[in-house]
Amino acid sequence: MKIISVAFFLFLVATAWNNPAGAGDRPDFAGAVAALNSDDFDEKIKAVETLAALGDPRAVPVLQALLDSRLSAAEDGRLLYADGDVYRDAMDGQPVTGVDPADLSDVSANNRVRGAIEGAIGQLSLFDPNPEKRRGAARAVADSKSAEAVDLLQRALAQETDPATGSVMTTALAGLQLRDADRTVRLTAIHTLASSTDPTMLGLLERLQDGERDQAVRRAADQAISGIRQRIALIGIGAHLFEGFSLGSVLLLAAIGLAITFGVMGVVNMAHGEMIMLGAYATYVVQQCFRMWLPASAFDAYLVVAVPVAFLISGAVGIALERGVIRFLYGRPLETLLSTWGISLVLQQLVRTIFGAPNKEVANPAWMTGGIDMSGGFILTWNRLIIIVFCLVVLGALAALLRYSRFGLQMRAVAQNRPMAAAMGIRTGRVDALTFGLGSGIAGIAGVALSQIGNVSPNLGQGYIVDSFMVVVFGGVGSLWGTLLGAVSLGVVNKFLEPYAGAMLGKILVLVFIILFIQKRPRGLFALKGRSIEG
């Protein structure tokens, strides 16, 4: 008996000697990679699932290569994947030299295998060096039905160093544990999710509540669901406010120029939308010039250059329009409206002839890409945040110009009493031309902003001309602060009405409100004072 025990002990020692700790992982990885070349697609799916369960980051490029049809088998049985002009060994990722593509056979995959690969890559991304990818993988795994997902998340969470990513992983793990057979584990998971604002977690809790028989678990789930819904509702209000301020900032930029020309000159300029469109196309041209003639490292500065270029081009067109057409039509509002509408059609067709009818894409600079992930899927995007700040800067600069500059003093004098201003020696014709150019130039700047949140097309300005007039009339003709308040108010109200009434009906309701408001206050919220205006 002692001899048998000693022999068994020596056998265990020999086994441990030949298979040291950690070495057993390598045959599993190697065997799973080799099984990817199986003729049986079910075996391939099992191999993919094994690689996902191992959590070995070496599997990611191999699975991605199989998904992209870049995985091949050599005559000696090795699996290689193409990485540009180089072939790499699927086992260790090392480059392999002397490979003749003619000697390789493709490793195939059907739709079922591809689906399994996509899920496996998502799970393996939990160990990616990029925290953003790890967070995305954790969110994707949260609704996974894979039995290995809990173990993978626990392993990833144990080695996670980024607090934000760890929080996402903790929430995802709690979502998976809602399906645990242990009542205590489910209750702990519910308490973890009770402070969540993720709509996905809300859905998982609702599913748990529908099928749960334990009353204590149901009560805990009900309380958690109620709290999450309240927080999501508050987040929705915040999102609507942000979207409303974003829309209001765009309306403000589009309407500031109109407030100047309409307020000072009394001109109903139906071509104002085309000034916005010219500014957007100027941005597109500047972008293309940067791409063609300057190094890639300078591309992010194109938007800074586009702002003055758009201002000058739209302003020059505005001055030409005022000197060539509008100055002959002062005091004749119907003729002015019809002539500027015709000019707007001419400008649209001119742009179609030069740039073509299809939309043009203007890329965001790197510093305007991405955003701040708040909670509950609510993201403060950098491009809209910067546009809001930019809008306020433009408004402040314009207010300072009108308040402290000689030209601003002359413009205010003409707006308040044109005959008296002319009698005091102010060249009203010159003020009219520069005022129209200033308003058109600011419209061009609005086009720069609009190019960062949508495509550029010949009809771009048409979508904002009616809204711009509503903002100006509601806020008070010629009043900058009234234009600001009117733009923000209309933007916020529109965004709160859209979920209930729809975009079109919401605009109609806003229009009806403005019509009723104007009946009570014909000069808007903030009316300018002056003999010409009051007369």
Side-chain angles (χ1 to χ4, degrees):
M1 189 67 179
K2 291 183 179 180
I3 295 175
I4 295 175
S5 300
V6 171
F8 182 71
F9 175 78
L10 292 175
F11 171 77
L12 292 177
V13 171
T15 302
W17 181 265
N18 292 323
N19 296 280
D25 293 340
R26 189 170 300 275
D28 287 340
F29 178 81
V33 170
L36 293 176
N37 194 31
S38 172
D39 294 330
D40 187 346
F41 287 114
D42 289 334
E43 291 296 325
K44 289 187 178 183
I45 292 174
K46 290 180 181 178
V48 171
E49 292 173 348
T50 300
L51 290 172
L54 288 173
D56 194 324
R58 292 177 299 167
V60 174
V62 180
L63 293 175
Q64 189 65 53
L66 179 55
L67 188 64
D68 299 338
S69 302
R70 293 184 287 108
L71 188 64
S72 304
E75 292 180 343
D76 59 3
R78 289 183 302 167
L79 292 186
L80 310 175
Y81 62 89
D83 183 14
D85 297 331
V86 178
Y87 281 95
R88 297 183 181 275
D89 194 315
M91 295 298 176
D92 53 19
Q94 295 300 315
V96 179
T97 58
V99 177
D100 186 356
D103 297 333
L104 302 177
S105 58
D106 294 335
V107 178
S108 60
N110 60 10
N111 289 336
R112 290 173 55 229
V113 175
R114 292 189 184 95
I117 291 173
E118 289 173 354
I121 290 176
Q123 294 183 21
L124 289 168
S125 296
L126 290 168
F127 305 93
D128 193 278
N130 187 341
E132 187 62 36
K133 289 186 177 180
R134 296 200 301 275
R135 288 193 287 271
R139 294 187 185 99
V141 168
D143 200 22
S144 171
K145 295 180 174 57
S146 170
E148 295 82 8
V150 173
D151 180 59
L152 281 172
L153 264 175
Q154 288 174 335
R155 288 163 53 193
L157 188 57
Q159 64 187 52
E160 184 56 58
T161 57
D162 180 50
T165 306
S167 176
V168 173
M169 288 183 175
T170 300
T171 302
L173 180 60
L176 289 173
Q177 289 175 333
L178 290 176
R179 294 192 293 268
D180 198 283
D182 190 334
R183 172 179 179 271
T184 304
V185 173
R186 295 200 303 278
L187 283 171
T188 303
I190 291 171
H191 291 313
T192 301
L193 296 177
S195 58
S196 174
T197 55
D198 190 343
T200 302
M201 297 300 116
L202 176 62
L204 293 177
L205 284 168
E206 289 173 340
R207 268 186 271 172
L208 169 69
Q209 190 182 40
D210 291 339
E212 182 61 52
R213 295 182 179 180
D214 190 298
Q215 292 302 314
V217 175
R218 286 178 63 87
R219 285 195 299 270
D222 184 63
Q223 292 176 359
I225 289 171
S226 177
I228 292 175
R229 283 176 177 167
Q230 290 177 4
R231 281 187 292 275
I232 289 178
L234 291 175
I235 290 170
I237 293 173
H240 287 321
L241 284 174
F242 173 69
E243 291 170 357
F245 280 115
S246 175
L247 175 60
S249 67
V250 172
L251 290 177
L252 178 59
L253 278 176
I256 289 176
L258 194 63
I260 295 173
T261 56
F262 194 23
V264 175
M265 307 165 66
V267 174
V268 180
N269 179 20
M270 295 302 293
H272 184 76
E274 278 54 53
M275 303 303 158
I276 298 174
M277 177 262 293
L278 290 177
Y281 273 98
T283 307
Y284 170 74
V285 171
V286 171
Q287 170 193 257
Q288 297 304 103
C289 291
F290 267 68
R291 283 177 171 169
M292 293 171 59
W293 298 326
L294 294 176
S297 58
F299 179 77
D300 285 345
Y302 89 88
L303 197 62
V304 178
V305 177
V307 171
V309 170
F311 179 83
L312 292 174
I313 291 176
S314 297
V317 173
I319 292 174
L321 176 60
E322 195 278 335
R323 290 287 86 188
V325 178
I326 292 176
R327 72 188 178 107
F328 301 108
L329 301 174
Y330 288 133
R332 298 155 64 184
L334 180 59
E335 287 88 339
T336 304
L337 187 149
L338 291 175
S339 63
T340 53
W341 178 64
I343 290 169
S344 73
L345 298 179
V346 171
L347 290 174
Q348 288 182 42
Q349 189 56 47
L350 180 63
V351 167
R352 286 192 184 94
T353 303
I354 297 174
F355 296 99
N359 294 349
K360 301 297 182 183
E361 181 183 1
V362 177
N364 291 132
W367 46 273
M368 286 186 72
T369 304
I372 305 172
D373 190 353
M374 302 299 288
S375 59
F378 175 35
I379 298 176
L380 295 174
T381 56
W382 285 119
N383 58 350
R384 291 188 178 273
L385 281 172
I386 291 173
I387 287 174
I388 291 173
V389 175
F390 176 69
C391 166
L392 295 176
V393 169
V394 171
L395 180 65
L398 182 59
L401 175 70
L402 298 181
R403 176 73 176 174
Y404 301 109
S405 71
R406 180 183 179 85
F407 170 67
L409 178 63
Q410 293 177 350
M411 191 167 70
R412 286 185 285 127
V414 172
Q416 292 178 13
N417 195 322
R418 181 179 292 269
M420 183 60 70
M424 296 297 293
I426 296 176
R427 298 166 57 186
T428 57
R430 178 176 176 273
V431 171
D432 287 340
L434 292 178
T435 300
F436 209 91
L438 177 62
S440 299
I442 294 175
I445 293 177
V448 178
L450 287 173
S451 71
Q452 299 302 301
I453 57 177
N455 290 324
V456 176
S457 71
N459 300 321
L460 174 66
Q462 292 298 303
Y464 292 92
I465 183 66
V466 175
D467 290 338
S468 297
F469 272 107
M470 285 198 299
V471 167
V472 171
V473 173
F474 177 63
V477 176
S479 170
L480 292 184
W481 304 117
T483 304
L484 170 62
L485 183 58
V488 173
S489 300
L490 294 183
V492 171
V493 169
N494 264 315
K495 287 303 177 181
F496 272 94
L497 285 177
E498 280 181 8
Y500 307 102
M504 185 58 66
L505 183 56
K507 286 183 178 293
I508 294 173
L509 292 174
V510 170
L511 179 59
V512 170
F513 167 76
I514 291 178
I515 292 173
L516 296 175
F517 178 81
I518 295 302
Q519 298 299 312
K520 292 290 186 181
R521 292 182 65 93
R523 283 187 271 163
L525 290 172
F526 298 90
L528 291 181
K529 297 184 182 298
R531 292 183 180 179
S532 297
I533 295 170
E534 293 173 357

